[in-house]
Amino acid sequence: MTVPATPLSDPADPADPHPALAAMRESAPVHRVELHTGLPVWMVTRYDDVLAALSDPRLSNDPHHAGDLTEVMRGDFLSRSMIGADPPEHTRLRRLVSKAFTARRVEGLRPRIEEITAGLLDRITPRGEAELVGEFGLPLPITVIGELLGVPEADRDHFRNWTDEMLDRPFDPGRDMAQVTAARERMHRYLADLVAAKRARPADDLLTDLVAATDEGERLDEQELLAMAFLLLIAGYVTTVSLIGNGTLALLRHPDQLDRLRADPSMVPQAVEELLRFDGPVNPGIGRYALEDLDIGGVRIPRGGMVLLAIAAADRDPDRFPDPDRLDIGAADPGHLAFGHGVHYCLGAPLARLEGQVAFTALLTRLPDLALAAREDELRWTGGGVLRGLRALPVTFTPTPARAARAVQA
Ligand code: HEM
């Protein structure tokens, strides 16, 4: 089948990419899309095809198998991490950290996550207004993953800036790639210093455990250790911030669903699943590289071709989800692909779910009459790469005293 090229810039309007993604999904199973850099990718849009491709061993996660990648992308040190590796390397790398992220281990973090959440809300509830991304959605997962890994609190702003620099608008033609490289080098140096500090002064954290795994044998070399630290650090918050931001906005835009959730907070876990399906952080999708010539949806993809698996399009495929453009927290379907599928299925899914559940429960109970304090056309989005999220979410609500203050008054 011949597939004409479509520039990704047009369909991927970050304010609302879904209508364009739907049009692509309806017109053909695979589109030849040109990213702004000129990099051609094969974009797969239908649920069944994306699901099958996510566990197809002929599609690699390792960018070194790409025919067309720029050096900047190939040099990305994430390509030394599990997300850029195929089995058996992938299996070895993932096994080293998988225990720390099981549903049971993560459940043990609940009291601390609730405490961090309450502390953040204590600062904003008396004011009656807040910017929910910067003051809540972002600091919550950064604090959680920072504490888990053992990143000093004072350093968290630095790595946040470097991550923004690296991830925001990676395909924008006006983007200065030297800035991306500089941010990546600073992050690399910072992590190397942090690893050295853990080696000198071991602590009770995940990074110290990984340093020990490196020093004890051949299970992890130094570059793999840095790549692992980097992956866990950024994957641990860049996505969850969008779950909280996009999810809160989706609820504000659907007051009937918000009221339903307020009336029955036991629905929060299923609401989180529906919000992940409806407007998940991974948008348009994730990349793979063809290890051989192969067919997807009747379209021939050549060896070395980069394939973009459009999770955001698949999760609104009417052949899989009835009435997919309607947010319905009662109809949540765990079959969504927001966390991927197959061997790379999100390692942090239990943690992200828990953070989302704690965050939405707290927002519902502690911010009465929550309302959007910006016009729709004032909302600004990050995106253009793999992820999409709100830059800011201004809200108002009825002020209430901080919990600590209430306890003192009582
Ligand atoms: C709502 C939040 C999140 C979403 C939507 C999300 C989404 C995803 C997706 C789609 C993948 C698969 C990538 C692929 O197949 O190439 C993935 C992988 C991964 N995620 Fe998440 N993620 C989230 C939160 C987290 C958190 C909190 C962590 C904590 C460390 C995390 C760590 C990882 C890691 C390490 C991988 C790579 C797994 C592998 O390659 O085996 N994620 N995530």
Side-chain angles (χ1 to χ4, degrees):
M1 189 193 286
T2 315
V3 183
T6 340
L8 188 58
S9 53
D10 299 340
D13 169 14
D16 187 9
H18 292 289
L21 290 173
M24 291 175 90
R25 188 185 55 234
E26 276 152 30
S27 66
V30 178
H31 289 258
R32 185 80 170 134
V33 170
E34 196 143 291
L35 303 180
H36 291 300
T37 48
L39 189 71
V41 303
W42 304 85
M43 185 157 157
V44 182
T45 55
R46 295 181 182 167
Y47 183 91
D48 286 347
D49 292 332
V50 173
L51 181 70
L54 282 167
S55 51
D56 188 333
R58 296 171 302 167
L59 290 168
S60 167
N61 270 50
D62 182 349
H64 294 96
H65 290 297
D68 259 330
L69 278 195
T70 64
E71 275 316 303
V72 173
M73 290 167 102
R74 218 189 286 272
D76 186 342
F77 67 130
L78 275 186
S79 67
R80 296 295 310 275
S81 77
M82 75 180 98
I83 209 165
D86 299 326
E89 286 78 12
H90 170 265
T91 321
R92 171 178 60 91
L93 294 169
R94 183 160 169 140
R95 201 180 288 138
L96 282 167
V97 284
S98 54
K99 268 201 226 103
F101 292 94
T102 58
R104 247 186 74 207
R105 276 289 281 278
V106 163
E107 187 54 35
L109 301 174
R110 184 185 283 273
R112 179 63 189 136
I113 295 175
E114 286 175 345
E115 192 177 25
I116 296 165
T117 303
L120 291 169
L121 289 179
D122 274 346
R123 287 188 215 157
I124 61 179
T125 55
R127 297 207 316 257
E129 41 136 31
E131 194 286 274
L132 273 190
V133 170
E135 296 186 83
F136 183 68
L138 190 63
L140 171 59
I142 283 200
T143 308
V144 173
I145 197 69
E147 289 186 0
L148 205 61
L149 280 167
V151 176
E153 195 178 344
D155 298 345
R156 289 179 201 152
D157 275 349
H158 297 305
F159 73 71
R160 198 182 119 185
N161 292 337
W162 301 326
T163 312
D164 285 352
E165 203 59 80
M166 283 184 272
L167 293 184
D168 197 20
R169 300 178 295 119
F171 306 128
D172 196 315
R175 195 86 173 80
D176 179 356
M177 290 320 269
Q179 276 179 356
V180 178
T181 310
R184 182 178 299 155
E185 280 166 4
R186 263 181 251 129
M187 178 74 98
H188 198 273
R189 264 201 308 278
Y190 170 75
L191 289 173
D193 289 347
L194 188 60
V195 161
K198 298 288 172 193
R199 209 164 251 140
R201 285 178 301 284
D204 182 15
D205 55 47
L206 190 55
L207 204 49
T208 302
D209 293 349
L210 289 170
V211 170
T214 315
D215 294 348
E216 272 165 20
E218 295 186 352
R219 286 183 288 163
L220 200 64
D221 71 27
E222 197 73 14
Q223 288 311 310
E224 288 173 339
L225 169 65
L226 293 181
M228 175 85 87
F230 179 53
L231 171 65
L232 294 175
L233 200 54
I234 64 164
Y237 78 91
V238 289
T239 42
T240 311
V241 57
S242 297
L243 165 61
I244 297 171
N246 299 6
T248 306
L249 179 64
L251 288 171
L252 290 171
R253 283 172 169 169
H254 296 84
D256 57 326
Q257 299 299 306
L258 185 56
D259 288 348
R260 202 170 163 196
L261 204 50
R262 276 213 185 94
D264 182 4
S266 73
M267 291 182 88
V268 165
Q270 68 197 83
V272 167
E273 298 309 313
E274 174 66 348
L275 293 168
L276 283 163
R277 180 197 69 79
F278 184 77
D279 203 6
V282 179
N283 189 322
I286 50 183
R288 295 287 190 267
Y289 310 95
L291 292 174
E292 57 186 75
D293 294 354
L294 56 99
D295 282 352
I296 297 182
V299 175
R300 169 115 307 202
I301 297 180
R303 176 168 178 241
M306 181 175 174
V307 180
L308 183 62
L309 303 175
I311 286 175
D315 273 349
R316 289 203 187 196
D317 186 338
D319 285 343
R320 175 63 178 78
F321 302 99
D323 209 356
D325 294 324
R326 197 161 77 94
L327 180 75
D328 180 356
I329 58 173
D333 182 331
H336 67 72
L337 300 177
F339 289 121
H341 176 74
V343 294
H344 291 279
Y345 181 80
C346 178
L347 178 77
L351 179 58
R353 289 189 159 114
L354 179 59
E355 289 178 337
Q357 291 167 14
V358 170
F360 286 114
T361 305
L363 285 177
L364 289 175
T365 49
R366 294 200 54 193
L367 303 185
D369 313 316
L370 187 64
L372 188 60
R375 288 196 322 267
E376 286 282 341
D377 64 353
E378 290 170 336
L379 295 173
R380 293 285 170 268
W381 297 83
T382 60
V386 172
L387 304 172
R388 171 176 168 272
L390 281 168
R391 285 182 198 278
L393 182 60
V395 293
T396 54
F397 45 87
T398 305
T400 53
R403 286 261 157 99
R406 252 189 256 158
V408 171
Q409 282 162 6

